[in-house]
Amino acid sequence: MLLTAVEEARAGLAEGGIPIGAALFAPDGSTLLGRGHNRRVQDDDPSMHAETAAFRAAGRQRSYRGTTMVTTLSPCWYCSGLVRQFGISRVVVGETRSFEGGHGWLAEHGVQVVVLDDPECAALMKDFIATRPDLWNEDIGV
């Protein structure tokens, strides 16, 4: 599942954006409902985070219970709110070294959170932050 999110993160970087990718999977764990990457820069839209893009690509679902959101980076408060609002049951996080995000808050509120500490996700963000600190700081609101 993480591979899909990493592919999206790389696509975002190739487009000149922020390399964060996400994917939403059905309760069976293998059916991909939607995928996307951070498009804040490309679309000039501050709300187009990776998780938001994946959620929108999934389209309307009767219920999100049992679904899994996979993201290369810990979700921000905005995306964590999306997870809670729609009852997404599980969040798989590629890495939390670059950004702590809201995964702890999600876990406190009954969302199953799995942090993988994936070296590829961490390296992707570390390289991006070193190259584009201005864009990164804008993205996280610094």
Side-chain angles (χ1 to χ4, degrees), residues 56-137:
R56 288 178 181 173
R60 183 175 161 208
Q61 304 291 315
R62 183 164 191 252
S63 173
Y64 296 90
R65 284 185 185 83
T67 61
T68 300
M69 179 68 77
V70 181
T71 181
T72 57
L73 185 66
S74 182
C76 70
W77 291 109
Y78 170 67
C79 294
S80 295
L82 181 145
V83 168
R84 289 274 328 272
Q85 173 71 30
F86 291 95
I88 295 171
S89 300
R90 183 173 183 230
V91 175
V92 175
V93 180
E95 71 105 345
T96 62
R97 298 180 212 173
S98 304
F99 183 70
E100 179 84 15
H103 69 271
W105 177 76
L106 288 170
E108 290 172 8
H109 289 87
V111 176
Q112 181 187 3
V113 176
V114 178
V115 177
L116 300 176
D117 196 25
D118 180 78
E120 183 177 7
C121 291
L124 191 61
M125 287 308 302
K126 182 179 179 184
D127 292 346
F128 175 76
I129 293 167
T131 305
R132 293 296 313 269
D134 58 325
L135 192 53
W136 173 243
N137 288 333

Side-chain angles (χ1 to χ4, degrees), residues 22-74:
L24 183 64
F25 288 88
D28 67 12
S30 61
T31 302
L32 177 63
L33 298 175
R35 60 191 288 166
H37 51 272
N38 185 303
R39 297 194 51 85
R40 293 182 67 251
V41 174
Q42 300 91 312
D43 294 352
D44 196 28
D45 180 351
S47 70
M48 191 47 80
H49 292 202
E51 298 87 346
T52 305
F55 181 75
R56 288 178 181 173
R60 183 175 161 208
Q61 304 291 315
R62 183 164 191 252
S63 173
Y64 296 90
R65 284 185 185 83
T67 61
T68 300
M69 179 68 77
V70 181
T71 181
T72 57
L73 185 66
S74 182

